[in-house]
Amino acid sequence: MALPKANRLKSRKDFQAVFREGTRRHGSYLTLRALRPSSSRVPYEDVAATTTQPTDSANPVSTRIGISISTKVSKRAVVRNRLKRQIAAALHKLLPKLLPGWRLVVIVKPTAAQECVREQFLQELEQLLAQAEVLNGY
């Protein structure tokens, strides 16, 4: 199941900000980069969103997630897309537990292509999100 549009990290600037300023958590199959929401500064691309959609405490900014899979994982696009769909489905299950406002990038390691099981992805994602303190009550 795909992630909702409101929860997708799309722009290159967002990805660069997460890679530049975010914290890293490593697992055996995945690496998580997480950028904590900051109330003091608003990135340029979010200014337009805040002016058209008023955000208050009742309607917080949703957590946005991007998935990065290099050709080092597999040369075959079919394999990379299957991994991406499995990770997106695991993240979709975890969406209600995530704190609002975070920007996350999930990076797939080459070891995931050989031994990929959906339950392992879900378990490792939960563990990495808890380490990064993104989960509710972590």
Side-chain angles (χ1 to χ4, degrees), residues 26-94:
H26 300 284
S28 53
Y29 303 114
L30 307 169
T31 299
L32 176 73
R33 305 289 294 253
L35 185 59
R36 187 178 299 273
S38 61
S39 58
S40 60
R41 58 189 181 114
V42 177
Y44 175 73
E45 57 270 11
D46 289 343
V47 171
T50 54
T51 55
T52 57
Q53 285 180 330
T55 54
D56 54 358
S57 59
N59 184 18
V61 177
S62 60
T63 296
R64 295 184 304 173
I65 304 165
I67 301 170
S68 173
I69 302 180
S70 168
T71 52
K72 290 179 184 177
V73 174
S74 174
K75 298 290 183 206
R76 298 176 57 213
V78 174
V79 175
R80 293 194 309 270
N81 289 336
R82 181 171 31 86
L83 288 169
K84 198 170 190 176
R85 284 193 305 271
Q86 288 178 350
I87 292 168
L91 283 165
H92 194 271
K93 288 181 183 178
L94 293 172

Side-chain angles (χ1 to χ4, degrees), residues 78-137:
V78 174
V79 175
R80 293 194 309 270
N81 289 336
R82 181 171 31 86
L83 288 169
K84 198 170 190 176
R85 284 193 305 271
Q86 288 178 350
I87 292 168
L91 283 165
H92 194 271
K93 288 181 183 178
L94 293 172
L95 273 179
K97 297 180 183 179
L98 298 179
L99 293 171
W102 284 79
R103 286 187 280 175
L104 308 172
V105 175
V106 178
I107 304 156
V108 182
K109 292 185 177 181
T111 55
Q114 291 88 24
E115 329 150 356
C116 59
V117 177
R118 185 175 296 150
E119 291 79 25
Q120 289 175 336
F121 280 142
L122 185 62
Q123 182 181 7
E124 187 164 324
L125 270 173
E126 262 189 286
Q127 181 182 3
L128 292 173
L129 290 168
Q131 287 175 6
E133 301 175 2
V134 180
L135 286 177
N136 265 330

